[in-house]
Amino acid sequence: MRQYPGYLFDLDGTIYLGDGLIPGADRTIAALRGRGASVLFLSNKPIARRASYAEKLTRLGIPASTDDVVNSPLAAARYLAADHAGARVMLIGEQPLIDELTEAGVTLTGEVEDTDILLVSWDRQLTYDKLHRAHDALMRGARFMATNPDVTCPVEGGRMVPDAGANIAYLQACTGRELEVMIGKPSPIITRMALAEMGLQPDECLMVGDRLDTDMAMGETAGLDTCLVLTGCTSREDLRASTRNPTWVLDSVADLLAAEN
Ligand SMILES: [Mg+2]
C-alpha cells in the first residue's frame, strides 16, 4: 500500500466497535497524523452530533475535534442550505439532525402544503402520522431526499435495528415515487464535502471502512482507492460473494502501516 496524503475513516466497525476501540486503531491514527497526513472521520449515522463523536474518539484515545468529523446530518444541512436555499423541508429524523439543519438556516415545516423537500432519516420516535404526512407531501410533488441508505444499523450490544433505509423503502412502496437524492455514503455529495474539507483530490485519498455497500461503494464511485477492514460488518465470505473490489483488504485498521511498502 502506498502512503496517501489523506485518509477517510468510517467509525463504527472500523475505528471502534460499539464502545470499544479496535485494538491498535489509536496507534494507526497517531502515526498517520505524525507524518502529516490529513485524517477525517466519516459517519453515516444520523442520530448524533459531530461533537459527540469527537468526544467519544478522544475518550477512546484518538484526540479529535468536531472539525475532524463529517457525518450525514452535517452533509444534509450544508447541501440543503447551499443547493436548495429557501426550500421548506419536512423531516423524518431526530433532534441532532434537526439542530444541524436549523443551525445551517434550513427552514423546517410540518405542513404538507408547505413542503418543498421531504428529507427521510432514522427516527426512533417514528409514528404513523409522520409517515402519513410524508406520504402526502410526496404525492403533492415534494422532492424526495434521504440522509443515509442503511436499512439497519447496529446499536449498543450489536443488535441491528431499523434505520433510514427502511423508511425510504416504506415511502417508495406506498407512493410509487423513487428516492431522488441520497446525501450520505455512498453519495458523491458527502464525498465531495469530505474531500473539500481536506483540500484533496480523490486520487490523493484512501477510504477505509467495514461496509461494502456504503464505504467501498462510495470510494469506487468517487474514484478513491478503498481499503476494506474485516473488524465490522463484512467477512471474507461476504467479500467473495460481492461484486465490489476494494483496492486493499486488511484484517484491521491496526495493520494499515504494516501494509505500506
Ligand atoms: Mg462502519
Side-chain angles (χ1 to χ4, degrees):
M1 184 185 291
R2 68 182 173 96
Q3 295 190 356
Y4 294 83
Y7 294 80
L8 292 172
F9 287 97
D10 169 58
L11 285 173
D12 209 0
T14 301
I15 297 294
Y16 51 71
L17 256 184
D19 259 341
L21 187 73
I22 304 279
D26 49 350
R27 287 195 302 277
T28 296
I29 301 299
L32 294 176
R33 285 172 164 169
R35 72 177 186 221
S38 295
V39 170
L40 201 61
F41 301 100
L42 204 52
S43 173
N44 251 10
K45 212 169 184 176
I47 56 166
R49 297 298 303 265
R50 291 187 297 152
S52 68
Y53 290 113
E55 283 162 21
K56 178 171 179 174
L57 284 163
T58 303
R59 189 172 71 240
L60 291 173
I62 299 175
S65 70
T66 303
D67 290 340
D68 295 324
V69 182
V70 168
N71 63 356
S72 61
L74 177 77
R78 286 193 184 167
Y79 167 72
L80 291 171
D83 288 26
H84 298 277
R88 291 157 300 184
V89 177
M90 178 184 284
L91 177 68
I92 290 182
E94 298 194 6
Q95 197 60 44
L97 180 56
I98 293 171
D99 293 343
E100 201 78 67
L101 293 169
T102 307
E103 284 168 26
V106 175
T107 305
L108 297 176
T109 181
E111 300 301 323
V112 171
E113 296 74 20
D114 288 345
T115 302
D116 301 309
I117 294 171
L118 173 72
L119 180 65
V120 180
S121 189
W122 185 6
D123 184 349
R124 288 166 296 175
Q125 284 82 47
L126 186 63
T127 60
Y128 183 76
D129 181 58
K130 287 185 191 176
L131 287 169
H132 191 174
R133 279 184 288 125
H135 163 275
D136 289 352
L138 289 178
M139 294 312 281
R140 286 180 59 93
R143 302 285 311 276
F144 189 3
M145 305 187 183
T147 53
N148 61 298
D150 313 79
V151 176
T152 56
C153 182
V155 289
E156 303 294 315
R159 207 161 47 88
M160 300 298 283
V161 299
D163 193 348
N167 301 334
I168 298 166
Y170 175 95
L171 287 163
Q172 288 187 152
C174 67
T175 63
R177 294 276 309 270
E178 288 292 324
L179 184 74
E180 295 165 70
V181 179
M182 176 56 69
I183 295 168
K185 295 183 282 188
S187 168
I189 294 173
I190 195 169
T191 319
R192 278 199 297 270
M193 201 171 288
L195 290 171
E197 199 80 9
M198 304 171 99
L200 294 173
Q201 297 300 313
D203 62 357
E204 296 178 302
C205 224
L206 181 68
M207 174 71 216
V208 185
D210 70 311
R211 281 199 179 204
L212 291 164
D213 54 353
T214 52
D215 302 320
M216 300 300 103
M218 169 186 152
E220 277 180 37
T221 307
L224 280 71
D225 281 0
T226 53
C227 177
L228 180 73
V229 292
L230 302 174
T231 40
C233 281
T234 307
S235 66
R236 285 200 186 271
E237 291 68 41
D238 298 331
L239 177 60
R240 271 195 288 273
S242 163
T243 55
R244 299 260 167 239
N245 195 13
T247 317
W248 318 99
V249 180
L250 297 176
D251 288 329
S252 161
V253 74
D255 304 326
L256 196 143
L257 295 163
E260 292 177 346
N261 45 41

